[in-house]
Each structure stands twice: as C-alpha cells, then as structure tokens.
Amino acid sequence: MTTRREAITTLGAAAGLVGLRAPYNLHPASFTSSITSVGIQLYTVRSEMRSDVDRTLARVAEIGYKEVEFWRYYDRSASEIRTLLDDLGLTSPAVHVGLEQLETEWEATVDFAATVGHRYLVVAYVDLEDRGDLDQYRRIVDRFNQVSERAQAAGMVFGYHNHDFEFEAVDGQIPFDVMLEHADPAIQFEMDLFWIIQGGGDPFDYFRRYPGRFPMVHVKDMASDGSMVDVGAGEIDFAKIFAQSGQAGIQHYFVEHDNPSSPFGSIRASYDYLRELEF
C-alpha cells in the first residue's frame, strides 16, 4: 500500500477549522451520547506491530480499544490473526487494501478478510498518476464500482478513505464531489476528519448531502498550526461532529496518528479523551 502523505499546510487547516465552528447540532439539548466502542487504525502503531504483533495488540486491548482496522498483517495467517483477536476480545470490521490487489488477487484477499472478520474493504489512497483531472477520477471510480459489485456478492462492503487532495478544485469542481456522484450507492466512505479539514472541506456539508454514506471515520486531531496531534489535544470539535453520527451513518470511530512521537502514549491519550467525550 502506498505510504501516506505527511505534508501539512497551515492554510488548508485554517480554512477547514472555520467550517467546524459553524452552529451545526441536530440533537435536542437534553440528548447526550458517547462512543461505546473506540477503535484504532493500526497504522498508528506500525513500528510496534512490525516488532511484535501479539504484544502490540495485547496493549491495544489493555488500553480499552474494542475494534482495530488493519493495513498490513505482518506475515501472519488469517487464522492466526482471528485467533489473536478473539483471545483479546477485539474485532476488526475493516482493512485498508490496495485497489490493484483487489483487482488481481480477489479470491485470496476476500478469503483472508472473511476469516479475520472484516466487513469493509477500504482503498485508502489514489496515486498521483490516477488523479490528474476529473476524467481520471471518474475512471478510478469506475474501477471502484466494479470491485464494489464483487464485494456485495461476497457479502462485504467496498469503501474509500479520503486524504486532502480530493478537496483541491480541478476545473472548478471538487474531486470528492465527483467521486461521490459517480460512485455506486453501495460504496461507503471512510471520512478522515483531519484530512478533509486540512483540504478545506466541510464534514457537515457532506453528512447533509450524502446521509448514511460515512459508516467509518478516522479520528485524528489538528493543532492551530495545522500539525497532527493526539485526539483532544487540538482544535477539532469532535463533539459537534459526532452529534451528527446518526445523519452521517457513523458506526466505527478509528483513532489514528500518522507519526506519533510515542505511539502507545498517543493512543492511550486519544482513547481516554474519546471515552469521556459526550455529544
């Protein structure tokens, strides 16, 4: 899978944070809710996973996480992963997987995913050569649609995870809009809250226009200078966003930090914040 982008631009961050300060709240004032099952994208602890899968997942579970999203399996078999998850009381509803792998190794990929217990097969990135213009975005979504049809037949769901480049206007249009409009309705989207804000997008606008299409979110926070920080240490108003979970369709909340200085310290701080968050 392609390495994630790490470039951060303050201008994009400032533009996105303005949208989050808008007065969106559809819940009655007396209603409060919280996240009962906090998840984590294991990319956050990739170096630890590389060294010791068992110990890393055990520490993730010890902190209190209930769900994990994979992006690699570190040479473990599907049955080994599933047994480990079961022993630790974890589930893994989603995995990040490359589009080309889905197209060329479908049977093996789906068999592995089914054994582990994944429901969502999520493509997390579009390479630069596949997104130069809007027609290229449409062509990549044509490929998504084909994979999504196969996923449905297998009892799974195909999804796409955004970064910030999908919100940079091309020929007067926002590529993310083009992708959503061109995608089969069965395709679901995993909204990365940091990257959409970084790109100048408004989560609330997408929740309103495409209700129920965002069953997963990546929960990562942004400091005033646009840098990525532990959840709760930045300026993103997660309570306001998650108050719209019903409209958005959010069911899975995956903590992520692309480059934490202390991975376990980061995921513990983020977990503690989210477990106390009411919305």
Side-chain angles (χ1 to χ4, degrees):
M1 181 177 138
T2 306
T3 302
R4 297 163 187 236
R5 298 182 60 199
E6 297 174 358
I8 293 175
T9 54
T10 303
L11 180 61
L17 286 170
V18 171
L20 287 182
R21 292 176 181 142
Y24 298 118
N25 194 333
L26 302 183
H27 284 300
S30 61
F31 180 86
T32 59
S33 185
S34 61
I35 303 172
T36 58
S37 186
V38 181
I40 180 174
Q41 162 52 250
L42 293 170
Y43 182 80
T44 308
V45 289
R46 58 195 179 278
S47 58
E48 288 71 20
M49 287 286 286
R50 192 178 300 116
S51 298
D52 193 327
V53 172
D54 294 47
R55 180 174 178 273
T56 300
L57 289 179
R59 291 194 65 177
V60 165
E62 181 272 329
I63 288 170
Y65 287 95
K66 298 300 183 184
E67 298 182 341
V68 295
E69 182 179 44
F70 279 87
W71 79 293
R72 285 184 181 173
Y73 300 110
Y74 303 93
D75 299 321
R76 295 301 187 92
S77 70
S79 59
E80 287 173 334
I81 293 290
R82 181 57 182 266
T83 297
L84 182 56
L85 295 178
D86 289 345
D87 288 346
L88 293 171
L90 296 170
T91 61
S92 182
V95 60
H96 281 192
V97 61
L99 178 59
E100 187 172 327
Q101 178 182 334
L102 289 171
E103 293 173 324
T104 62
E105 303 174 31
W106 176 255
E107 295 295 339
T109 301
V110 168
D111 287 348
F112 199 113
T115 298
V116 175
H118 302 315
R119 181 177 181 224
Y120 297 94
L121 306 172
V122 183
V123 167
Y125 197 80
V126 174
D127 291 329
L128 183 60
E129 59 267 26
D130 292 321
R131 52 182 168 89
D133 57 43
L134 294 178
D135 283 339
Q136 285 182 294
Y137 275 104
R138 293 186 184 97
R139 285 195 292 271
I140 203 75
V141 175
D142 284 337
R143 294 167 65 188
F144 289 175
N145 289 338
Q146 293 174 9
V147 173
S148 177
E149 186 174 351
R150 299 180 75 181
Q152 292 175 71
M156 294 186 178
V157 180
F158 176 83
Y160 178 73
H161 162 281
N162 68 275
H163 283 76
D164 57 350
F165 57 80
E166 298 94 339
F167 303 94
E168 299 169 4
V170 176
D171 296 331
Q173 297 187 64
I174 301 300
F176 198 60
D177 293 350
V178 173
M179 297 177 80
L180 275 158
E181 291 162 7
H182 199 60
D184 185 281
I187 294 177
Q188 302 296 290
F189 288 79
E190 180 174 61
M191 182 179 286
D192 188 301
L193 296 170
F194 177 94
W195 288 119
I196 186 174
I197 294 166
Q198 181 78 293
D202 180 351
F204 303 103
D205 178 54
Y206 286 99
F207 295 163
R208 287 196 306 270
R209 287 194 286 141
Y210 299 96
R213 293 294 293 278
F214 303 94
M216 300 166 286
V217 288
H218 272 190
V219 188
K220 55 177 74 166
D221 213 341
M222 181 185 296
S224 59
D225 64 357
S227 61
M228 194 177 296
V229 294
D230 299 341
V231 178
E235 297 194 348
I236 295 179
D237 191 340
F238 292 108
K240 186 174 289 186
I241 294 173
F242 296 156
Q244 311 311 319
S245 290
Q247 182 184 48
I250 303 171
Q251 301 173 40
H252 306 286
Y253 304 77
F254 297 121
V255 165
E256 187 181 38
H257 192 314
D258 289 4
N259 290 291
S261 57
S262 171
F264 285 124
S266 175
I267 67 173
R268 182 177 291 279
S270 295
Y271 175 84
D272 289 345
Y273 175 81
L274 288 177
R275 283 299 292 126
E276 297 298 322
L277 184 69
E278 292 186 346
F279 49 90

